[in-house]
Amino acid sequence: PGWLLSPSGRPYLDSILQKNQRRVFGLLERPVLPPTLAAPTVTYKLFLCGKSGVGKTALVAALAGTPVPPIHHETLGIEATTVFWPAKPRASGRPVIFQLQLWD
């Protein structure tokens, strides 16, 4: 659980942070790692749907590290947000980077 804060996981965490805040990535961007630390990227597309005003946009903002909107407003169309999260599964012991494409 504390792998990201360990010396071996810190470079992976630093690749997704900018000034100690989660970096916002566009749909075509990804974290940059040195070749010696290259890790496979596993992509998931998550489509969030539900009733109006239940917190879908607030959930995406919280996961992406962006400010949560203070007041409710309808999301027009679809907003896509990309979140990267490095992890080290116990089974393989090899770091991977999860790319979550959140469609709201």
Side-chain angles (χ1 to χ4, degrees), residues 49-99:
C49 64
K51 293 184 178 186
S52 177
V54 296
K56 298 178 297 293
T57 302
L59 172 67
V60 170
L63 291 174
T66 59
V68 176
I71 59 172
H72 167 67
H73 68 279
E74 294 266 338
T75 303
L76 301 175
I78 294 177
E79 291 182 12
T81 305
T82 302
V83 176
F84 287 91
W85 195 256
K88 187 175 182 182
R90 290 182 185 172
S92 69
R94 186 171 170 219
V96 297
I97 297 178
F98 290 100
Q99 178 183 5

Side-chain angles (χ1 to χ4, degrees), residues 4 9 28-30 36 46 48 56 62 64 68 70 78 82 86 91 93 95:
L4 277 177
L28 300 177
E29 295 178 308
R30 60 174 302 182
T36 56
L46 303 172
L48 301 172
K56 298 178 297 293
V68 176
I78 294 177
T82 302

